[in-house]
Amino acid sequence: MGTIGAVFQPELIELMKAVLDDAMATLPEANRTSAMKVEMASQILACAAKGERDPVALKTAALLAVVERTHYSRDISPERRAV
C-alpha cells in the first residue's frame, strides 16, 4: 500500500515540480499528455515519500513510468484497451 499523509517542505515541492517539468520536456510532444504528467508526478511523489531527494533519481523514476506505460499499452490489444 502507498504512503499516506506524506508532508513535503516547500523546497522539496519546488524541486519535484522542476524535475517534473524537466522530465516532461524530454518527451516527444505527442507524449506530453496530462495522463502522462500525472503518471510521472505520481512516481516522483512516491520516490520523494521514500526519502529520495536526488533530482536525477527522481527524473529517472518519472521517465521509467513512461517506459512502463508505453510498454504495457502496446501489449494490450485495441479491443482490451476500449474496455
Side-chain angles (χ1 to χ4, degrees):
M1 189 165 230
T3 302
I4 298 175
V7 177
F8 301 113
Q9 297 299 318
E11 298 82 19
L12 179 57
I13 293 170
E14 287 301 316
L15 172 70
M16 291 187 294
K17 182 183 180 312
V19 168
L20 179 60
D21 291 343
D22 186 36
M24 285 293 291
T26 65
L27 297 178
E29 194 166 335
N31 290 17
R32 295 180 199 167
T33 65
S34 58
M36 190 60 70
K37 190 170 187 175
V38 167
E39 186 71 29
M40 290 171 54
S42 178
Q43 288 300 319
I44 292 169
L45 286 167
C47 288
K50 293 177 186 173
E52 185 60 67
R53 299 297 183 262
D54 178 26
V56 174
L58 293 171
K59 182 178 176 181
T60 300
L63 293 173
L64 283 174
V66 172
V67 171
E68 289 177 9
R69 181 182 178 107
T70 304
H71 172 74
Y72 290 124
S73 68
R74 289 190 180 137
D75 289 345
I76 300 172
S77 68
E79 295 81 21
R80 289 188 60 203
R81 281 187 225 163
V83 174

